[in-house]
Amino acid sequence: MALPSRRHAAVSPRGNLIRNATLVFDLDGTIADTAGDLIEAANVALAAQGFSTASPAAIRHGVGYGAKAMLRAALDETREAADEAELNHLAQQLVALYEQRIAVQTTLFPGFLDVAHSLRGRGAKLALCTNKTERLMTRLLSELGIAELFEAAAGRDTFPFHKPDPRHITQLVAQAGGRVPFAVMIGDSEADIAAARGAGIAAIAVRFGYAAVPADALGADAVLESFAELPDLVERLLGRVSSET
């Protein structure tokens, strides 16, 4: 009788890459589809101040770029104007309304939860790096029931700097107990990829995000079609790092 192969019992170098990895995720447009609640808050804020409401498609162009970007996108479609003071007031109203109903329509993107648990089970550290304020980030993570997935999480105001400043990533990785050379940024926007580039780490752009720039044009090291691909992409990208060091 042939002896069973020992090949499967050994820990492969690729397995070690996952075990040593720190995976830094963006929030809006990367792990969670938050557009519906943000669009609703924008239109309610506009209507309350006497402006016309805009189509979800128009406002969606600003999702991922902040409250003012969403409002400007809406006003462009309705051909109305707001001065800076009005825009600031509208933005404050939008955020207040959004906080009250932060996870009514919001859902996690398909496959994220399964792959997050799988990667953690293989020893990877997960971290969250978002330009949402820390208050909104904390509330949304709690509402979605995923706060415990992350070793560390940082919002726009957690540190004195935020994406695209690379220190938003490097400080977060240190907080998570990871090592920067073995970190990978997963995001959907120009700010995510620029921060990763500045930090000197690999970057993955998701195809299904909110950026106005197509994922292929963001300059990431790889483009993610679905979360099922993530472990293989991480191993491939960190394998390059290992071969270069």
Side-chain angles (χ1 to χ4, degrees):
M1 180 184 295
L3 292 174
S5 171
R6 298 177 59 190
R7 183 172 50 189
H8 299 297
V11 177
S12 72
R14 289 173 72 83
N16 287 335
L17 294 175
I18 292 289
R19 186 181 66 194
N20 293 328
T22 301
L23 306 182
V24 182
F25 293 90
D26 175 48
L27 179 51
D28 298 70
T30 298
I31 68 171
D33 186 359
T34 57
D37 289 317
L38 288 162
I39 290 166
E40 178 71 14
N43 267 333
V44 173
L46 287 163
Q49 298 303 313
F51 291 94
S52 302
T53 57
S55 68
I59 300 175
R60 190 182 175 89
H61 290 305
V63 173
Y65 298 95
K68 287 185 180 180
M70 286 186 286
L71 293 164
R72 288 191 186 101
L75 293 168
D76 283 346
E77 183 187 60
T78 61
R79 298 186 178 183
E80 294 172 306
D83 61 29
E84 194 62 25
E86 288 176 309
L87 199 60
N88 286 335
H89 181 66
L90 282 167
Q92 290 170 2
Q93 293 296 106
L94 188 162
V95 171
L97 290 161
Y98 175 62
E99 187 169 10
Q100 292 169 19
R101 296 171 58 82
I102 200 168
V104 176
Q105 301 179 54
T106 293
T107 58
L108 296 173
F109 281 112
F112 169 71
L113 201 55
D114 287 342
V115 82
H117 285 300
S118 174
L119 289 165
R120 278 173 56 89
R122 294 172 64 181
K125 294 178 174 64
L126 308 188
L128 188 84
C129 185
T130 176
N131 275 351
K132 254 183 168 52
T133 63
E134 186 174 308
R135 186 183 76 254
L136 292 178
M137 172 195 75
T138 301
R139 179 160 184 177
L140 182 54
L141 293 180
S142 176
E143 292 281 343
L144 294 173
I146 59 171
E148 299 305 314
L149 283 177
F150 302 103
E151 298 291 333
R156 182 183 186 88
D157 52 350
T158 301
F159 307 123
F161 33 77
H162 56 82
K163 298 179 296 185
D165 191 312
R167 292 173 295 175
H168 200 175
I169 292 176
T170 56
Q171 291 277 48
L172 178 62
V173 170
Q175 210 173 66
R179 290 179 290 168
V180 170
F182 297 98
V184 179
M185 178 74 207
I186 301 99
D188 73 315
S189 73
E190 301 93 325
D192 296 320
I193 307 309
R197 286 282 169 261
I201 67 170
I204 297 172
V206 301
R207 177 83 67 194
F208 41 82
Y210 300 148
V213 178
D216 296 294
L218 287 173
D221 296 289
V223 174
L224 184 75
E225 303 285 347
S226 75
F227 276 109
E229 303 171 344
L230 186 58
D232 285 343
L233 282 180
V234 169
E235 288 178 333
R236 176 163 61 83
L237 294 175
L238 291 183
R240 292 181 192 171
V241 173
S242 297
S243 66
E244 294 169 359
T245 56

